[in-house]
C-alpha cells in the first residue's frame, strides 16, 4: 500500500493523467455508494449493524462512511474553490450522490472527521465566495434538521449522539479497554513495540480485558495511532507522526502560494481528505486496507504530483 504513493507520483504528470484518474476512480465510487445505499435501505431495520452491509461492496459502516467522505470532500472542494470552466452540473450530481450516501452512515468517528475536515474547507474558501459558503451551510443545516425530524432516523441518530460520551455504552467500554491495553503493551516494549499485528493476539490472551466484547467487536485497537504505538513502539509512532507532519506541512505551504483555482481546489481537497482520515484514526483502526489504505497512500503521492503540475503551470509561484 505504501508503495502506491510512489507509483502515483510517477504516473500522474499532467491534467490528462488527472482526468484519466478521475474517470477510473469516480464512476466505480458512485456505483459502490449507490449500490450500498440500496442495500442499506433494504436492510433499514439493521442500519447500525455490520450485518446490514451484506451483499454490498463494504463490510462495515466505518469503511463505507470514510470511503464516501473521501469523494464528498474532493467534490465539495472543487465546487467551493475552483472558478475555472468545467461542467458544474456533473459535479453537483456527484455531490448529491455522495451526500445521500453519507446520510446512511452510522459511524460517529466518520461524523467527527467530516465536521473537522469540512471546517477546514470552509476556512480555506475565499472571502469573495461568501455566497457559496452560505448555500453550503444552509444545505448542511437543512439536512441535519431533516435527519433529526424524520421518524425513521431521528431516534437512531439521537441515540448515537447521546451515547458518544457514555462510558457505560458497550462499544465505548470496549474502546477504553483496548486503548488501555495498547498503552500497557507500549509500556512493556516502548522502543520497538510488540511487533506488527501483535495487538489482537496479546489482547485475546487476556480474558480479563477481552471479556464478552471479544466476539462482538472483534480484536482491533479502535485507534490506528495507538495500534502503531503498541505494535511498533517509539520508533513506529515517531515515523508515523513524521509521515503525517510532512504531508500537511508540504500541502499547507503549497496551498498558501498557489492561487490557480483548479490546482488549489485539488490541494485543499486532498489535505481535507487526509485530515479526515487522521481524525478518524484517533478512534478507529484501518477497517479495511484496500478500501482506506489505498486512497490514503495514493493521496499521499497525488498531492506532490498536483503541486508539481501547478508549479510548472506558474513558475513564478514556485519560486515564491
Amino acid at each position: 500500500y505504501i508503495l502506491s504513493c510512489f507509483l502515483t507520483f510517477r504516473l500522474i504528470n499532467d491534467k490528462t493523467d488527472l482526468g484519466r484518474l478521475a474517470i477510473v476512480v469516480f464512476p466505480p465510487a458512485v456505483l459502490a455508494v449507490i449500490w450500498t445505499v440500496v442495500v442499506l435501505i433494504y436492510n433499514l431495520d439493521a442500519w447500525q449493524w455490520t450485518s446490514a452491509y451484506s451483499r454490498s461492496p463494504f463490510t462495515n459502516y466505518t469503511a463505507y462512511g470514510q470511503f464516501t467522505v473521501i469523494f464528498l470532500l474532493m467534490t465539495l472542494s472543487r465546487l467551493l474553490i475552483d472558478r475555472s470552466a468545467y461542467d458544474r452540473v456533473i459535479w453537483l450530481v456527484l455531490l448529491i450522490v455522495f451526500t445521500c450516501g453519507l446520510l446512511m452512515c452510522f459511524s460517529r468517528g466518520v461524523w467527527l472527521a467530516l465536521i473537522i475536515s469540512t471546517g477546514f474547507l470552509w476556512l480555506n474558501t475565499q472571502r469573495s465566495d461568501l455566497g457559496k459558503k452560505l448555500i453550503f451551510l444552509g444545505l448542511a443545516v437543512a439536512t441535519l434538521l431533516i435527519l433529526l425530524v424524520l421518524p425513521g432516523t431521528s431516534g437512531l441518530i439521537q441515540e448515537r449522539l447521546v451515547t458518544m460520551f457514555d462510558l457505560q455504552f458497550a462499544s465505548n467500554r470496549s474502546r477504553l479497554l483496548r486503548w488501555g491495553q495498547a498503552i500497557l503493551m507500549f509500556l512493556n516494549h516502548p522502543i520497538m513495540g510488540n511487533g506488527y499485528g501483535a495487538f489482537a493476539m496479546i489482547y485475546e490472551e487476556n480474558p480479563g480485558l477481552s471479556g464478552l466484547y471479544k466476539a462482538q467487536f472483534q480484536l482491533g485497537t479502535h485507534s490506528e495511532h495507538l495500534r502503531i504505538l503498541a505494535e511498533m513502539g517509539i520508533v513506529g509512532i515517531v515515523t508515523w507522526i513524521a509521515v503525517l507532519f510532512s504531508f500537511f506541512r508540504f500541502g499547507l505551504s503549497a496551498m498558501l502560494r498557489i492561487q490557480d483555482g483548479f490546482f488549489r481546489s485539488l490541494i485543499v481537497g486532498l489535505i481535507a481528505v487526509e485530515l479526515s482520515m487522521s481524525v478518524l484514526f484517533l478512534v478507529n483502526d484501518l477497517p479495511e486496507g484496500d478500501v482506506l489504505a489505498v486512497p490514503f497512500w495514493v493521496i499521499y503521492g497525488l498531492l506532490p504530483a498536483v503541486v508539481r503540475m501547478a508549479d510548472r503551470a506558474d513558475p513564478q509561484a514556485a519560486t515564491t
Side-chain angles (χ1 to χ4, degrees):
Y1 295 141
I2 295 175
L3 291 177
S4 62
C5 69
F6 298 99
L7 184 63
T8 303
F9 181 75
R10 179 69 176 175
L11 293 178
I12 306 300
N13 295 298
D14 51 36
K15 287 187 176 182
T16 301
D17 294 333
L18 279 175
R20 291 170 179 167
L21 179 64
I23 292 173
V24 169
V25 168
F26 271 88
V30 170
L31 178 61
V33 169
I34 294 176
W35 180 358
T36 305
V37 168
V38 173
V39 171
L40 291 176
I41 292 175
Y42 182 77
N43 298 314
L44 193 59
D45 293 339
W47 182 34
Q48 70 270 40
W49 306 110
T50 299
S51 59
Y53 288 80
S54 61
R55 300 189 301 275
S56 82
F58 305 93
T59 59
N60 60 74
Y61 51 68
T62 301
Y64 165 69
Q66 186 57 42
F67 176 86
T68 307
V69 165
I70 291 171
F71 293 93
L72 174 63
L73 289 173
M74 293 304 302
T75 304
L76 188 59
S77 179
R78 186 163 197 199
L79 286 171
L80 288 175
I81 296 174
D82 187 4
R83 296 181 176 181
S84 63
Y86 63 95
D87 193 335
R88 286 171 173 77
V89 174
I90 292 178
W91 286 86
L92 281 171
V93 171
L94 291 175
L95 180 64
I96 293 171
V97 170
F98 295 125
T99 300
C100 292
L102 194 60
L103 295 180
M104 302 298 295
C105 173
F106 208 72
S107 171
R108 294 169 296 177
V110 170
W111 295 350
L112 176 63
L114 178 64
I115 290 171
I116 293 176
S117 54
T118 50
F120 173 80
L121 278 180
W122 176 277
L123 291 174
N124 287 281
T125 304
Q126 296 181 5
R127 294 181 179 179
S128 57
D129 291 329
L130 180 60
K132 291 182 179 180
K133 283 185 172 183
L134 293 177
I135 292 173
F136 166 66
L137 180 61
L139 291 174
V141 172
T143 301
L144 179 60
L145 291 176
I146 291 172
L147 288 175
L148 292 176
V149 170
L150 284 177
T153 61
S154 59
L156 292 172
I157 293 175
Q158 291 173 21
E159 178 188 358
R160 295 294 283 178
L161 292 174
V162 169
T163 58
M164 186 173 291
F165 301 103
D166 183 2
L167 299 183
Q168 298 303 314
F169 191 61
S171 65
N172 293 345
R173 292 175 62 187
S174 177
R175 276 184 170 85
L176 291 174
L177 287 172
R178 292 157 198 265
W179 294 348
Q181 175 68 357
I183 293 173
L184 290 176
M185 288 173 61
F186 163 70
L187 294 176
N188 288 334
H189 300 279
I191 306 301
M192 298 295 293
N194 294 266
Y196 183 78
F199 178 86
M201 179 179 63
I202 297 175
Y203 187 77
E204 187 177 22
E205 290 175 352
N206 191 336
L209 288 173
S210 57
L212 298 175
Y213 304 109
K214 179 174 64 176
Q216 183 178 0
F217 297 107
Q218 301 179 6
L219 295 173
T221 318
H222 269 305
S223 173
E224 187 70 10
H225 306 305
L226 285 179
R227 183 192 67 80
I228 293 172
L229 180 69
E231 295 182 353
M232 290 174 274
I234 293 175
V235 173
I237 196 65
V238 169
T239 304
W240 175 242
I241 292 173
V243 165
L244 294 177
F245 177 78
S246 63
F247 177 90
F248 289 115
R249 180 177 179 273
F250 177 80
L252 291 173
S253 174
M255 185 185 71
L256 292 174
R257 63 181 173 80
I258 293 175
Q259 299 302 316
D260 180 88
F262 171 74
F263 290 116
R264 194 170 188 277
S265 68
L266 287 179
I267 292 170
V268 173
L270 293 173
I271 295 174
V273 169
E274 296 295 80
L275 177 62
S276 69
M277 297 182 80
S278 299
V279 172
L280 178 67
F281 293 159
L282 289 172
V283 294
N284 277 287
D285 304 283
L286 263 170
E288 295 182 20
D290 55 343
V291 174
L292 295 183
V294 169
F296 180 89
W297 290 111
V298 165
I299 289 172
Y300 198 90
L302 186 58
L303 176 67
V306 171
V307 173
R308 178 180 59 189
M309 281 184 272
D311 290 337
R312 288 174 180 171
D314 187 3
Q316 184 176 359
T319 59
T320 58

